[in-house]
Amino acid sequence: MILFYYLSSILGLLAGNMFNYTAIILSQSISNSDTFSGWVFFFVCFPLLFLSFTAGRLLDKYSRKWLLAAAQISMACGSGFAALALHLEWISPGKPYLLLVSSVLSGIGLSFVMPGRFAILGDLLEHSKIGKHSVWLNTLVLFGYGLAPLVAGYFKEYFSFKYVFISIGSAYVLSVFFLILIPVQMRERSQASSGPGISELVAYLKNSPLVSQFLLLMGAVVLLVGPVQVLLPKYAKEILGLGEGERGALLSALGVGLVIGGGATFLLHGLKKKGHILFGSALFSCFLFSLIPFLAESLVLTSVCFFVFGFMTGVIITLIPAGIQQNTENHIRGRILSLYSLVFLLVPAFSGILSGFFSDRIGIPSTFVWSGFLEMGALIYLSWRMDQVRNHY
């Protein structure tokens, strides 16, 4: 049963990250503005502003399996629309804006998929096993993120954008097929009103300062994901001079680091003071990110820097959701994880727009340097204030 779930997860997560990567490199080929690329990424995350709390409430009340399946069909429709629009030349150089429609359709599904993928573990597993399997699932999230540029770049090397989007839609459909094979029992669900349950969520977070601090820390550490998503593909092509397949392979060095870092958290699972590991890894990853422009002369050093940055980031963004899962009760798990998804996706969406805005004015290398050092300052402040993460994780 859990094997089918993991097969469904890796296909769906890979397809989602392939869509984001492909949509961004398409936007950069039909528009000269880095800011527009930022908007493409932002519109994927924009529906979360309106749907996150509703999604969490629905995931806590109704079948997480069927909500997850419907969400992935919505994301498949987003990829299908992009393929159709490219075929009919509704999306082409000088006519980029309908790409935002595909982003929104993908984002509607994403509002349910991110929290649903984790929340359904509460129905599939005993509570004592959720922490370990959350690490496994988050490793698959990182695997999909890391593998997506390589797979999308390989497809783009031989096929047009239209066929890349068709392959993404097909992966979503196959993911749904594996999902519907899984028997899922609903456990400990809320029987309260059909509203979004925001007051209950706020009350729960007030009584769970560790979970609240985890969410705030996640918001800080994913600030650099925006520049990574929006600017790294263009950096690899224009600054490093790489082709489609080569830049996909280079960005996959970051992805391999993410996967290994996520997997390495199994070795840390039984340790105390994981909060110190979180803050140390986050500060070092910011420093590495700011170094990237200074290594442009050497492709080997750039690849190593991407790998180590990915490794540190993988450790961070695997430990945090595992900690949230371990300290959250199942009856409110969907809403907590919807809030986690909102933070995890919306913060990079805003930082992606900002990075594109500044890149248009000061260039990609300077944007990388300033982004790294500004986040480092924010993390130093948070490490001083977050006593619960420091002392109790």
Side-chain angles (χ1 to χ4, degrees):
M1 179 174 67
I2 197 68
L3 177 60
F4 280 131
Y5 180 66
Y6 281 142
L7 284 171
S8 172
S9 296
I10 188 59
L11 283 167
L13 295 166
L14 176 62
N17 285 293
M18 283 179 65
F19 177 87
N20 292 343
Y21 177 80
T22 306
I24 287 170
I25 63 173
L26 172 60
S27 71
Q28 291 169 347
S29 71
I30 59 179
S31 170
N32 294 322
S33 171
D34 289 336
T35 305
F36 179 72
S37 298
W39 281 110
V40 169
F41 182 48
F42 176 80
F43 268 69
V44 172
C45 305
F46 178 69
L48 275 80
L49 278 172
F50 305 98
L51 294 176
S52 280
F53 294 112
T54 300
R57 185 63 175 174
L58 293 174
L59 287 165
D60 282 337
K61 190 170 184 180
Y62 300 109
S63 169
R64 290 166 179 168
K65 168 183 171 177
W66 293 108
L67 285 168
L68 191 55
Q72 293 215 158
I73 292 298
S74 173
M75 299 175 86
C77 289
S79 297
F81 179 82
L84 178 65
L86 285 165
H87 178 73
L88 298 175
E89 297 186 350
W90 295 344
I91 297 174
S92 61
K95 296 190 291 184
Y97 296 103
L98 280 180
L99 184 57
L100 300 177
V101 175
S102 288
S103 294
V104 170
L105 287 171
S106 183
I108 290 170
L110 192 61
S111 302
F112 292 84
V113 164
M114 278 298 290
R117 281 286 172 198
F118 284 94
I120 201 173
L121 291 177
D123 292 332
L124 291 171
L125 302 165
E126 297 300 323
H127 185 79
S128 61
K129 298 179 180 178
I130 288 176
K132 184 177 84 171
H133 282 276
S134 293
V135 173
W136 274 112
L137 183 57
N138 206 71
T139 302
L140 292 182
V141 172
L142 300 178
F143 182 74
Y145 183 89
L147 191 62
L150 183 63
V151 177
Y154 176 82
F155 272 96
K156 185 62 189 70
E157 191 79 28
Y158 298 99
F159 304 103
S160 67
F161 278 111
K162 177 178 73 173
Y163 292 106
V164 178
F165 281 114
I166 289 173
S167 69
I168 293 169
S170 301
Y172 280 130
V173 172
L174 189 56
S175 173
V176 171
F177 171 76
F178 283 117
L179 183 64
I180 63 177
L181 295 177
I182 304 168
V184 179
Q185 264 189 328
M186 292 175 63
R187 300 178 184 177
E188 296 179 61
R189 296 310 181 83
S190 172
Q191 300 299 321
S193 67
S194 59
I198 296 175
S199 59
E200 186 181 351
L201 177 63
V202 171
Y204 189 87
L205 289 173
K206 282 182 179 178
N207 294 320
S208 305
L210 179 57
V211 175
S212 300
Q213 289 188 11
F214 273 137
L215 290 168
L216 184 58
L217 179 58
M218 178 57 79
V221 299
V222 297
L223 278 168
L224 290 182
V225 175
V228 167
Q229 288 273 36
V230 173
L231 299 180
L232 268 186
K234 189 171 183 179
Y235 177 83
K237 183 176 182 179
E238 296 190 357
I239 306 297
L240 301 179
L242 304 179
E244 292 291 351
E246 291 172 317
R247 68 171 167 171
L250 176 65
L251 295 180
S252 290
L254 184 151
V256 170
L258 283 169
V259 175
I260 295 176
T265 58
F266 282 106
L267 303 176
L268 308 175
H269 205 57
L271 295 180
K272 296 181 179 179
K273 301 296 183 183
K274 291 191 286 290
H276 291 80
I277 296 172
L278 277 174
F279 285 114
S281 299
L283 287 168
F284 188 59
S285 68
C286 293
F287 175 70
L288 283 175
F289 189 80
S290 65
L291 280 183
I292 289 173
F294 300 101
L295 305 176
E297 295 295 323
S298 171
L299 188 58
V300 173
L301 287 178
T302 299
S303 300
V304 170
C305 188
F306 280 166
F307 173 81
V308 179
F309 172 76
F311 179 87
M312 294 296 178
T313 305
V315 170
I316 299 162
I317 62 178
T318 302
L319 284 176
I320 291 177
I324 291 173
Q325 287 272 55
Q326 287 174 317
N327 292 278
T328 300
E329 297 172 25
N330 194 49
H331 76 277
I332 201 168
R333 192 181 305 278
R335 278 163 286 176
I336 292 292
L337 291 170
S338 286
L339 183 57
Y340 163 79
S341 299
L342 183 67
V343 172
F344 184 76
L345 295 167
L346 205 60
V347 170
F350 279 110
S351 66
I353 292 174
L354 286 173
S355 65
F357 174 83
F358 285 110
S359 176
D360 284 334
R361 286 154 181 80
I362 63 175
I364 295 177
S366 297
T367 302
F368 282 175
V369 173
W370 280 106
S371 297
F373 279 106
L374 286 172
E375 180 164 348
M376 197 182 300
L379 286 167
I380 290 171
Y381 173 75
L382 290 176
S383 67
W384 169 58
R385 294 301 300 263
M386 291 187 168
D387 58 312
Q388 293 291 316
V389 174
R390 273 199 331 269
N391 300 327
H392 300 291
Y393 185 57

